[in-house]
């Protein structure tokens, strides 16, 4: 098997196609990134004036900030493009990650509860995050950037399936 | 209900036990003054504090009542603001009896109840006379079983009858760890090995550099690590595993004595550990993950709480593992290692990785210094994950994790060829579904 083939196999859709998350998540995360970068820029400018930093140091700091920002910008794009979920008959598949990629399969019968959250910025971009909890803290089953209606639908479906298949420990 | 409830009280010695250290310190500090009949201002202040404390303690004792009402254990406490706790008996996961050193001097014990979905402090009753604590524990467990039996559709009316304290069947001792064995095992553990090596390295480098600064700077850390081993010895002293009606019972402790019951249905998986120096002696250690144990206490409970055997013959440890897993054998599944590509991801470690799945169990083995065999029944797996870092992606490898409830158990197939990793995931998802069905649990 070729190397590429193996990689593609690893995150192939599980029977039914992957549902992507909303592109609004990309805008949301890039907005957050820009806010932090602006704060970083401000901090550098203030430090440069207050401590009278040499020009070289200031430029170096700016370059570091800029390259970190650019890297994060690209990673956010990759991350959001990769993030997807697939609802199956008896379990939910989620894949996510940019550098470290992960695919998690959560059986509905193992779900303890489902959270839907939307922070202030998420509300601005009209998206929510759905978080599935099992008895294991290792389960990292989170789907951010779902349009509100889709998040509500998913939560209702998951809770009804979870109730139908309610399983204790 | 207007008549007085048949409530019960804690031991009247409770306030004394709780503040024993303070009382002793106060008395010791002002003893001379009192004997001379010329108490100074400090002694008077301490005396006033003691009297105040005694009054408060007595009031607190008077106000604390507990009784069993219908399906709940109720505990009323509080002097100024009153509290009433209700502990649902059918949700009791397990009950431990703990005797801290001072309580032990007075023959008292604390009853710690592990309640599903509750904090640890919530289910504590301190202090009772040891016999009372044992009787209450037996009564609560019998009552819980009766309640659970009643809840089941197939239960006959018999179970609903008022439960009485069952005739305690004598516990059958399965294993007992001799103090010398425990001491030797701690001396030979990987932790001690690292500790000694680090200390030796520091001493040598200090001698060479003719400066003791490095050693004196790290001395507190070394002492702390040494103290951890001492505490392990104290906690595991006289470790006894026995079989009772309720499950596995574990007694241990040198200063603080505790007795813990492990209901077999709560066992979520096992870990068999063999530090490198134990292998010659054929020793192993057995830990289990318990449902609702460390998860309910907010991570306060250390791994010691789920140790079934701190050290013992490997055969014995395996036998106990089979016992707690209801005769599933963690050594039965054939294990396979990762492919040759794994050597680029983990040059040394990859040789020590192996994983496999049997009919009922998923098993993996890893660890260089301490070889650990992790096993989890398919029916207990919470979710299945595949993980791939950037370097692994280059090599076309991935890790498979089986998520279990909080605890030491962590079954994973590391550094598998990517396509194989995905096949493992799909196979595990299918087999866990079947296993849950077979257990009568919904999928």
């Amino acid at each position: 098997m070729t190397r590429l083939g193996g990689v593609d196999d690893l995150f192939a859709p599980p029977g039914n196609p992957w549902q992507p998350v909303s592109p609004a998540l990309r805008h949301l995360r890039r907005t957050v990134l820009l806010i932090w970068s602006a704060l970083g820029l401000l901090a550098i400018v203030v430090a440069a004036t207050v401590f009278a930093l040499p020009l070289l140091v200031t430029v170096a700091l700016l370059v570091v900030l800029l390259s970190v920002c650019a890297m994060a910008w690209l990673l956010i794009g990759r991350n959001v493009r990769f993030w997807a979920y697939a609802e199956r008959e008896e379990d939910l598949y989620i894949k996510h990650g940019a550098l470290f990629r992960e695919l998690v399969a959560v059986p509905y019968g193992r779900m303890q509860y489902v959270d839907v959250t939307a922070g202030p910025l998420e509300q601005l971009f009209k998206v929510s995050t759905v978080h599935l909890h099992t008895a294991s803290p290792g389960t990292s089953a989170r789907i951010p950037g779902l349009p509100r209606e889709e998040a509500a639908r998913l939560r209702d479906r998951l809770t009804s399936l979870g109730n139908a298949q309610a399983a204790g420990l | 209900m207007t008549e007085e409830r048949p409530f019960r009280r804690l031991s009247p010695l409770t306030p004394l036990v709780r503040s024993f250290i303070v009382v002793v310190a106060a008395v010791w500090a002002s003893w001379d003054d009192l004997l001379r009949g010329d108490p100074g201002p400090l002694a008077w202040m301490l005396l006033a504090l003691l009297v105040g404390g005694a009054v408060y303690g007595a009031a607190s004792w008077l106000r604390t009542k507990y009784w069993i009402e219908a399906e709940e254990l109720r505990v009323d406490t509080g002097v100024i603001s009153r509290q009433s706790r209700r502990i649902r008996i059918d949700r009791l996961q397990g009950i431990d009896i703990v005797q801290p050193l001072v309580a032990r001097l007075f023959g008292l014990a604390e009853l710690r109840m592990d309640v599903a979905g509750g904090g640890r402090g919530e289910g504590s009753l301190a202090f009772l006379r040891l016999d009372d604590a044992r009787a209450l524990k037996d009564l609560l467990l019998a009552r819980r079983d009766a309640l659970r039996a009643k809840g089941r559709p197939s239960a006959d009316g018999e179970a609903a009858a008022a439960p009485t304290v069952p005739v305690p069947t004598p516990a059958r001792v399965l294993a007992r760890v001799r103090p010398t064995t425990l001491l030797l095992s701690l001396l030979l553990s990987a932790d001690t090995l690292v500790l000694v090596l680090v200390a030796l390295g520091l001493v040598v480098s200090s001698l060479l550099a003719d400066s003791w600064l490095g050693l004196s700077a790290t001395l507190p850390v070394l002492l702390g690590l040494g103290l951890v081993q001492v505490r392990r010895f104290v906690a595991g002293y006289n470790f006894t595993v026995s079989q009772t009606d309720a499950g596995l019972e574990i007694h241990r402790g040198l200063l603080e004595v505790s007795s813990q019951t492990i209901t077999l249905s709560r066992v979520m998986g096992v870990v068999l550990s063999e530090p490198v120096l134990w292998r010659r002696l054929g020793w192993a250690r057995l830990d289990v993950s318990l449902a609702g144990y460390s998860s309910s206490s907010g991570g306060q409970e250390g791994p010691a709480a789920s140790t079934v055997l701190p050290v013992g013959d490997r055969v014995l440890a395996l036998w106990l593992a089979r016992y707690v897993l209801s005769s599933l054998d963690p050594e039965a599944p054939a294990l396979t290692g990762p492919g040759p590509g794994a050597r680029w991801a983990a040059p040394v470690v990859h040789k020590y990785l192996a994983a496999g799945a049997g009919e009922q169990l998923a098993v993996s083995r890893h660890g260089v210094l301490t070889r650990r065999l992790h096993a989890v029944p398919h029916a207990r797996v919470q979710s299945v994950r595949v993980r791939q870092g950037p370097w692994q992606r280059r090599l076309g490898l991935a890790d498979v994790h089986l998520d279990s409830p909080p605890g030491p158990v962590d079954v994973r197939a590391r550094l598998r060829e990517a396509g194989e990793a995905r096949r493992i995931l799909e196979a595990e998802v299918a087999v866990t579904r079947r296993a849950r069905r077979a257990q009568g649990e919904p999928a």
Side-chain angles (χ1 to χ4, degrees):
Chain A
M1 187 178 294
T2 65
R3 200 166 68 194
L4 256 180
V7 175
D8 283 344
D9 275 352
L10 188 56
F11 296 106
N16 24 3
W18 287 118
Q19 303 287 318
V21 299
S22 160
L25 181 66
R26 190 170 56 225
H27 306 317
L28 166 70
R29 295 209 159 165
R30 285 185 174 161
T31 309
V32 174
L33 176 66
L34 286 182
I35 293 172
W36 280 111
S37 308
L39 286 177
L41 193 65
L42 194 70
I44 290 175
V45 169
V46 167
T49 46
V50 171
F51 301 111
L53 290 181
L55 187 65
L56 203 66
V57 174
T58 316
V59 170
L61 281 176
L62 284 177
V63 166
V64 166
L65 179 75
L66 207 69
S67 45
V68 166
C69 182
M71 185 109 100
W73 185 275
L74 290 178
L75 282 180
I76 287 173
R78 273 175 69 180
N79 193 355
V80 171
R81 233 177 302 127
F82 189 69
W83 213 309
Y85 63 99
E87 293 167 66
R88 305 207 319 162
E89 202 98 322
E90 301 191 4
D91 31 50
L92 184 78
Y93 276 56
I94 304 172
K95 60 168 185 147
H96 63 95
L99 282 176
F100 288 86
R101 299 194 153 165
E102 208 169 73
L103 168 72
V104 56
V106 188
Y108 297 135
R110 281 286 172 254
M111 268 176 356
Q112 289 196 321
Y113 58 97
V114 183
D115 273 347
V116 180
T117 51
L121 267 174
E122 283 181 300
Q123 286 176 34
L124 206 67
F125 285 86
K126 298 193 169 51
V127 291
S128 311
T129 300
V130 172
H131 196 165
L132 273 73
H133 297 264
T134 69
S136 165
T139 307
S140 52
R142 227 163 51 86
I143 317 175
L146 286 172
R148 272 186 213 156
E149 317 77 58
E150 172 64 7
R153 185 200 66 78
L154 190 62
R155 180 201 53 206
D156 290 346
R157 175 147 191 273
L158 291 177
T159 20
S160 69
L161 281 168
N163 282 342
Q165 309 184 341
L169 281 168
Chain B
M1 279 253 223
T2 46
E3 82 239 39
E4 189 67 6
R5 293 193 199 90
F7 64 82
R8 307 197 54 182
R9 286 212 166 91
L10 301 172
S11 160
L13 289 174
T14 300
L16 180 62
V17 173
R18 277 186 191 276
S19 53
F20 191 72
I21 303 288
V22 182
V23 172
V24 168
V27 169
W28 186 72
S30 48
W31 191 244
D32 280 354
D33 288 357
L34 288 177
L35 274 191
R36 270 191 280 122
D38 173 29
L42 184 69
W44 278 119
M45 250 161 67
L46 284 173
L47 202 66
L49 258 174
L50 274 188
V51 170
V55 169
Y56 182 84
S60 163
W61 174 75
L62 269 175
R63 288 286 205 168
T64 305
K65 302 164 184 173
Y66 68 91
W67 67 96
I68 293 176
E69 193 175 282
E71 301 184 355
E72 292 169 337
L73 172 68
R74 300 199 36 183
V75 185
D76 280 3
T77 50
V79 176
I80 295 161
S81 69
R82 311 224 54 192
Q83 286 179 333
S84 183
R85 273 181 297 161
R86 294 155 177 252
I87 295 161
R88 280 185 53 183
I89 292 173
D90 60 331
R91 303 202 63 166
L92 281 176
Q93 300 259 36
I95 303 178
D96 302 347
I97 294 177
V98 184
Q99 284 186 285
L101 183 59
V102 177
R104 220 172 128 198
L105 294 177
F106 292 96
L108 300 180
E110 178 186 353
L111 207 63
R112 279 191 200 156
M113 285 160 280
D114 204 14
V115 190
R120 169 148 293 262
E122 204 179 313
S124 164
L125 212 53
F127 291 94
L128 303 170
R129 276 184 35 235
L130 185 57
D131 293 343
D132 288 348
R134 285 199 183 124
L136 184 60
K137 173 186 163 180
D138 290 344
L139 175 66
L140 284 171
L141 287 179
R143 195 129 191 182
R144 177 196 67 179
D145 294 342
L147 278 172
R148 286 187 178 171
K150 201 168 67 173
R152 277 188 221 114
S154 60
D156 45 61
E158 228 34 49
T164 45
V165 180
V167 186
T169 44
R172 194 162 72 94
V173 174
L174 300 177
R176 183 172 278 141
V177 180
R178 284 206 310 273
T180 45
T181 312
L182 183 66
L183 190 65
L184 196 57
S185 77
L186 286 172
L187 288 177
L188 293 177
S189 71
D191 292 2
T192 313
L193 194 66
V194 171
L195 189 69
V196 168
L197 285 181
V198 169
L200 272 182
L202 279 169
V203 167
V204 169
S205 62
S206 301
L207 280 176
L208 288 181
D210 202 20
S211 139
W212 294 91
L213 201 67
L215 189 62
S216 53
T218 43
L219 204 59
V221 179
L222 293 179
L223 278 179
L225 288 175
L227 215 61
V228 169
Q229 298 293 64
V230 173
R231 274 176 50 195
R232 281 189 189 147
F233 178 75
V234 170
Y237 188 84
N238 225 347
F239 201 100
T240 311
V241 189
S242 37
Q243 182 188 20
T244 64
D245 293 339
L248 220 50
E249 196 163 88
I250 288 167
H251 287 273
R252 59 182 176 84
L254 178 63
L255 304 175
E256 173 180 307
V257 180
S258 85
S259 117
Q260 175 195 10
T261 305
I262 295 177
T263 318
L264 295 190
S265 61
R266 290 172 64 203
V267 174
M268 297 280 124
V270 303
V271 185
L272 190 81
S273 331
E274 293 167 272
V276 62
L277 292 178
W278 291 14
R279 276 178 231 161
R280 272 177 174 254
L281 300 162
W283 285 351
R285 165 193 174 100
L286 184 69
D287 296 273
V288 299
S289 278
L290 293 179
Y293 212 85
S294 44
S295 61
S296 65
S297 59
Q300 296 239 320
E301 203 60 36
S306 48
T307 301
V308 170
L309 191 70
V311 58
D313 207 64
R314 194 172 190 279
V315 181
L316 174 67
L318 263 174
W319 186 86
L320 279 171
R322 279 198 300 275
Y323 181 81
V324 296
L325 289 173
S326 4
S327 357
L328 302 178
D329 188 354
E331 282 209 318
L335 304 187
T336 56
R343 98 171 144 265
W344 301 109
V348 180
V349 172
H350 82 274
K351 288 186 194 147
Y352 297 89
L353 299 174
E359 196 87 348
Q360 311 268 351
L361 282 179
V363 181
S364 73
R365 192 179 58 209
H366 28 86
V368 179
L369 268 186
T370 299
R371 186 168 62 196
R372 293 196 170 88
L373 188 73
H374 296 247
V376 63
H378 292 307
R380 304 299 197 187
V381 172
Q382 301 294 312
S383 60
V384 191
R385 266 185 308 146
V386 169
R387 206 173 140 78
Q388 188 182 48
W391 182 238
Q392 289 180 356
R393 185 149 59 246
R394 269 296 174 82
L395 299 168
L397 301 173
D399 296 342
V400 186
H401 293 262
L402 307 190
D403 297 317
S404 334
V409 179
D410 178 17
V411 176
R412 58 202 169 183
R414 286 198 57 209
L415 304 176
R416 295 295 164 146
E417 189 269 315
E420 187 197 358
R422 181 59 187 266
R423 283 197 294 280
I424 293 176
L425 176 118
E426 298 295 344
E428 188 59 33
V429 166
V431 85
T432 51
R433 186 160 60 223
R434 273 208 304 282
R436 285 196 302 276
R437 288 239 178 79
Q439 284 228 331
E441 251 182 80

